[in-house]
Amino acid sequence: MTADTQAAPGVDRAAGAPRRSAASRLVNRLGGGAVQAALALIALVWLVPTIGLFVASLRSSTDSGSSGWWTVFTKPAQLTLDNYGNLLDNDSITRGFVNTVMISVPTTVLVVIVASLAAYAFAWIEFPGRDWLFLGVVALLVVPVQVGLIPLIQLFGEVNLFGTVPGIVLFHTAFGLPFAIFLLRNYFAGIPRDLLEAARMDGGTEWTIFRRVIFPLGGPAIASLAIFQFLWVWNDLLIALIFGDEDSYPLTVAIQQQTRQFGSNLDVISSGAFLSLLVPLVVFFAFQRYFVQGVLAGSVK
Amino acid sequence: MAEVVLAGVGKVYPDGTRAVTDLDLRIADGEFLVLVGPSGCGKTTALRMVAGLEDISEGEVRIGERVVNRVPARDRDVAMVFQSYALYPHLSVRDNIGFGLSLRKVPKSQIREKVEHAARLLGLTDHLDRKPRNLSGGQRQRVAMGRAIVREPQAFLMDEPLSNLDAKLRVQMRAEIARIQRDLGVTTVYVTHDQTEAMTLGDRVAVMKKGVLQQVAPPQELYDRPANLFVAGFIGSPAMNLLQGTLTGTEDDLRVRFTDQSLTLPREVLAARPALRSYLDRPVIAGIRPEDMEDAELADGPEGARLTCTADLVEAMGSDVLVHFAVNAEQVVTEDTRELARDMGTDVLDKAEAGPGGTPMVARFSPRTRIKVGDPVTAQVDTGRMHFFDPETGASIWDSAQPSPRKESE
């Protein structure tokens, strides 16, 4: 008995954890290093076009016409901020930027509000035909935007929305909703029922439960939805090109038109494109922490 | 604070499942009533119907003077403590406790005052600004209590509030809940599957089985005068031993016969249970509580009140010794005992399985006993405290006019 208990720890030490962990730590470190190097390389390759775009936006149009962007590494003197200065004087670009904001911000807000309300109802309010209706929403996920183009052009023409910013906003909102409702409904459905019942017992109406319990708890899902929705609309070219006109074209269309009119005026395109890229980046980093936040910890059990 | 009345309440789900049948309960103002029963007996459903979280299919629920069948949960002015606590994870302890008040548009300064008062009552003052995820299980449980207390509701509804705590904490919180309820004097309905909680907390305990109320009585009465086999088997730990026997002898010399042993019953039994007369020479179910048996070497008693057998297992608890043995008697198999076995997690008993080994029994002996596993045991039975049940109906045998087991005794 005594011998057994004495031997046991020794046996453990000889056969067990430490030696294996020394080897596994080595493997981990080597593996971790290799993986990290590979990741860094892939990230770099991925970034090459963006870097090229950025560098090109800092070179004059004559330089861009005569040599590749990578020559900047040997002749850094080429760098200039002139392109960005010119951009601010370019009416079509500045108007496009304003339009882009006017389109993507209201769309995002509308989609988040409508979708979260609808998702709450689909997840937590009993009403006849709820599941069939939700099935319909899910089915709408597979409808491509292209299907809606011609009917909606006709409809918008009838109600004088064609060629206006509100028209574009409505189109984006409508086609963004199925996915948004689907995403939020599934997230809301995962919120423990007890929480809603507790709020109901505490005197909450459906509206206060939504506003004070569901909406705050849905934070991560709502934030990621908002970011995605914003990016899609911000980067959209197709819808804006078809539904917009001279006064409502966003940045993407404005940049695209530069190519058509002047051939390869890389100075405007590169700096404009980089400007268009900057805002989503800022948005992403501002909301990024919501992606990983686990707000439900500690609520039940 | 108010009286809560359930009159003929029933619950049928849309798919036809019946969860609660014809439930009559009158919970007096300030009373602590415990609803107890095995899982799936409808006790939580009954509570949720009072809360307003479940539609009432039949009957009527009254809180105070008001029939609340059609009143939504938020307007019933009752507070509920959930098994999972259901704390709002995004709010601090302070805001969690004050949530109900802030929804009712109580002024901020008043909320603050009430929350701090409740926090003092529960020993949460130091944790008011923490989030639920940073609290221990016991503290979360207190927050859940606090949320109910500050509302000063007509009634507290508690749905197994202690079942997520470890054993030690559970005993401590149990005492605390009892203290708080007594101090505040709020009508309380408490649901649990743990008969110890039921016995220690309740002013009265309501035992349910399969959606049907079996008996409502103060804990001691439930223990002393169970209305039927189910209540007898459910209340008490270890559970009452049940044996199939036959009543023999004469009125002056009454005996209950098992296969090869018999116990002589004292005269008081017949005085207390006049209805037993009509069972002479007929089969009965005899119930003996483990604590009504003692090692015959340590106790005096008539010769005729002894059972002899062999100890299969001896569990020393310190304060007493549990001795398991099997008695050569037919095992009791009724719908009630099946339900009890299912609750214990053992397989449903079948007549065939109650083989030659006889009926397993447990006795609670004094720690001075020297019995070891395999020793012969002679158990002195306090036959005056034995229970008798009708083998057909499972009802307790008392007066000739047998009270219906479902009637509420007050």
Side-chain angles (χ1 to χ4, degrees):
Chain A
M1 187 66 197
T2 347
D4 273 0
T5 44
Q6 275 171 348
V11 168
D12 270 347
R13 208 173 299 140
R19 196 195 295 175
R20 196 183 300 151
S21 91
S24 72
R25 229 181 308 161
L26 194 64
V27 170
N28 271 348
R29 200 167 293 171
L30 281 177
V35 166
Q36 273 173 11
L39 284 178
L41 190 71
I42 293 170
L44 198 69
V45 173
W46 224 264
L47 277 173
V48 165
T50 314
I51 295 168
L53 181 75
F54 180 60
V55 173
S57 76
L58 294 173
R59 300 168 80 216
S60 65
S61 55
T62 41
D63 283 336
S64 289
S66 58
S67 60
W69 59 270
W70 50 89
T71 55
V72 81
F73 295 116
T74 49
K75 285 179 275 181
Q78 298 171 353
L79 292 178
T80 165
L81 283 172
D82 285 354
N83 291 343
Y84 286 95
N86 294 338
L87 210 58
L88 295 179
D89 298 330
N90 187 328
D91 271 354
S92 105
I93 295 287
T94 49
R95 195 173 59 233
F97 187 83
V98 171
N99 281 337
T100 299
V101 175
M102 297 291 282
I103 291 168
S104 25
V105 172
T107 304
T108 308
V109 171
L110 266 176
V111 166
V112 165
I113 290 176
V114 176
S116 57
L117 285 168
Y120 174 63
F122 277 127
W124 291 110
I125 299 177
E126 297 277 342
F127 58 88
R130 180 181 75 168
D131 295 338
W132 285 107
L133 209 56
F134 184 65
L135 222 60
V137 171
V138 174
L140 285 178
L141 279 173
V142 300
V143 177
V145 277
Q146 288 81 351
V147 169
L149 293 179
I150 290 170
L152 278 172
I153 289 170
Q154 290 170 339
L155 181 68
F156 280 12
E158 290 288 317
V159 296
N160 293 327
L161 277 173
F162 189 77
T164 64
V165 169
I168 300 173
V169 168
L170 272 182
F171 188 97
H172 279 307
T173 308
F175 276 89
L177 276 177
F179 175 72
I181 293 173
F182 177 69
L183 178 88
L184 291 184
R185 184 261 174 202
N186 286 352
Y187 190 86
F188 290 173
I191 291 174
R193 175 181 286 272
D194 281 0
L195 277 181
L196 280 93
E197 293 186 337
R200 205 153 287 160
M201 297 297 299
D202 270 344
T205 57
E206 296 294 348
W207 170 242
T208 47
I209 291 172
F210 172 75
R211 201 168 53 86
R212 300 193 50 177
V213 179
I214 297 291
F215 202 78
L217 288 181
I222 292 170
S224 44
L225 170 68
I227 295 170
F228 283 130
Q229 188 63 43
F230 183 82
L231 293 185
W232 288 330
V233 177
W234 185 278
N235 292 329
D236 163 71
L237 174 68
L238 177 69
I239 309 304
L241 191 62
I242 294 171
F243 284 83
D245 65 6
E246 277 305 308
D247 293 323
S248 54
Y249 279 147
L251 196 52
T252 45
V253 180
I255 294 170
Q256 188 249 0
Q257 282 178 344
Q258 296 291 326
T259 28
R260 256 206 312 225
Q261 285 166 6
F262 307 109
S264 64
N265 50 349
L266 205 58
D267 52 335
V268 181
I269 294 171
S270 60
S271 53
F274 204 78
L275 176 72
S276 158
L277 198 125
L278 208 61
V279 175
L281 270 184
V282 170
V283 170
F284 179 80
F285 283 114
F287 287 99
Q288 181 246 73
R289 71 190 176 95
Y290 288 106
F291 281 117
V292 286
Q293 205 179 50
V295 273
L296 280 178
S299 68
V300 291
K301 300 248 163 117
Chain B
M1 273 147 278
E3 180 185 65
V4 175
V5 178
L6 289 85
V9 169
K11 174 74 192 179
V12 183
Y13 285 105
D15 65 356
T17 330
R18 183 165 262 290
V20 177
T21 309
D22 195 20
L23 180 60
D24 286 305
L25 274 176
R26 177 181 292 269
I27 303 134
D29 190 359
E31 186 181 7
F32 197 127
L33 181 104
V34 179
L35 272 174
V36 71
S39 58
C41 73
K43 56 194 191 298
T44 296
T45 309
L47 188 79
R48 289 170 59 86
M49 283 194 279
V50 177
L53 297 172
E54 206 85 63
D55 286 335
I56 299 163
S57 324
E58 298 156 359
E60 197 174 88
V61 172
R62 285 197 300 276
I63 298 171
E65 295 299 301
R66 192 161 60 131
V67 175
V68 293
N69 284 36
R70 302 243 140 259
V71 179
R74 61 171 177 277
D75 297 325
R76 290 196 186 185
D77 195 18
V78 292
M80 183 148 165
V81 178
F82 290 82
Q83 180 175 9
S84 66
Y85 317 140
L87 304 180
Y88 310 116
H90 57 297
L91 300 179
S92 65
V93 169
R94 184 188 300 280
D95 293 339
N96 258 290
I97 297 178
F99 191 77
L101 297 177
S102 84
L103 286 187
R104 287 187 162 72
K105 308 268 187 290
V106 175
K108 282 224 167 61
S109 60
Q110 215 173 324
I111 294 180
R112 206 181 164 78
E113 203 174 295
K114 286 186 177 187
V115 168
E116 271 163 21
H117 178 254
R120 268 198 304 281
L121 200 68
L122 293 159
L124 282 172
T125 311
D126 295 339
H127 309 298
L128 277 178
D129 295 312
R130 293 165 73 179
K131 289 276 172 65
R133 67 170 160 276
N134 300 324
L135 299 178
S136 69
Q139 288 164 341
R140 285 179 199 173
Q141 216 283 325
R142 278 167 223 260
V143 177
M145 286 288 294
R147 198 162 60 180
I149 291 172
V150 283
R151 295 250 320 270
E152 295 169 21
Q154 301 282 318
F156 287 150
L157 308 176
M158 304 194 191
D159 185 10
E160 312 211 14
L162 302 181
S163 60
N164 282 336
L165 299 177
D166 60 55
K168 219 169 190 178
L169 207 53
R170 200 177 313 163
V171 174
Q172 188 190 334
M173 283 309 296
R174 194 170 75 198
E176 206 147 320
I177 287 179
R179 176 179 63 85
I180 290 167
Q181 197 271 342
R182 211 172 37 243
D183 288 354
L184 300 176
V186 179
T187 314
T188 303
V189 185
Y190 185 108
V191 163
T192 181
H193 63 265
D194 177 7
Q195 59 98 15
T196 322
E197 257 171 48
M199 296 293 278
T200 49
L201 282 173
D203 291 329
R204 281 190 307 153
V205 177
V207 184
M208 287 180 75
K209 182 193 79 176
K210 288 185 172 173
V212 179
L213 184 62
Q214 305 293 306
Q215 189 176 8
V216 198
Q220 196 60 47
E221 187 183 327
L222 220 51
Y223 178 88
D224 290 337
R225 292 176 65 100
N228 58 32
L229 265 179
F230 182 79
V231 177
F234 193 79
I235 300 295
S237 173
M240 184 188 284
N241 302 294
L242 298 169
L243 301 164
Q244 186 86 49
T246 314
L247 211 57
T248 58
T250 61
E251 283 198 15
D252 292 327
D253 177 28
L254 205 60
R255 292 157 175 276
V256 54
R257 255 193 92 70
F258 307 114
T259 313
D260 54 5
Q261 310 195 41
S262 67
L263 291 171
T264 311
L265 303 178
R267 224 169 277 270
E268 309 95 81
V269 171
L270 214 53
R273 302 166 183 264
L276 214 49
R277 274 191 191 89
S278 57
Y279 286 86
L280 257 177
D281 298 319
R282 282 174 55 195
V284 289
I285 293 170
I288 310 173
R289 292 214 182 264
E291 45 275 37
D292 293 336
M293 285 185 274
E294 183 54 281
D295 189 346
E297 286 178 23
L298 301 171
D300 296 330
E303 286 281 327
R306 287 180 181 172
L307 289 173
T308 52
C309 39
T310 311
D312 293 332
L313 174 67
V314 178
E315 296 174 293
M317 313 289 286
S319 58
D320 40 42
V321 176
L322 298 183
V323 180
H324 297 246
F325 50 86
V327 165
N328 200 358
E330 211 178 308
Q331 199 151 5
V332 178
V333 181
T334 69
E335 193 258 322
D336 280 339
T337 54
R338 279 169 197 277
E339 187 67 17
L340 288 167
R342 198 177 60 79
D343 182 45
M344 302 279 283
T346 50
D347 283 333
V348 176
L349 296 165
D350 263 322
K351 280 242 187 233
E353 283 173 35
T359 304
M361 289 181 70
V362 185
R364 190 194 290 267
F365 286 175
S366 141
R368 286 173 296 136
T369 181
R370 276 196 278 275
I371 287 173
K372 298 269 177 303
V373 176
D375 287 353
V377 182
T378 306
Q380 183 73 47
V381 180
D382 186 352
T383 44
R385 293 181 57 85
M386 277 175 69
H387 296 259
F388 297 93
F389 306 93
D390 184 294
E392 299 295 318
T393 63
S396 228
I397 302 168
W398 293 104
D399 314 320
S400 31
Q402 280 179 27
S404 154
R406 284 218 346 268
K407 271 283 172 285
E408 190 178 346
S409 61
E410 298 218 44

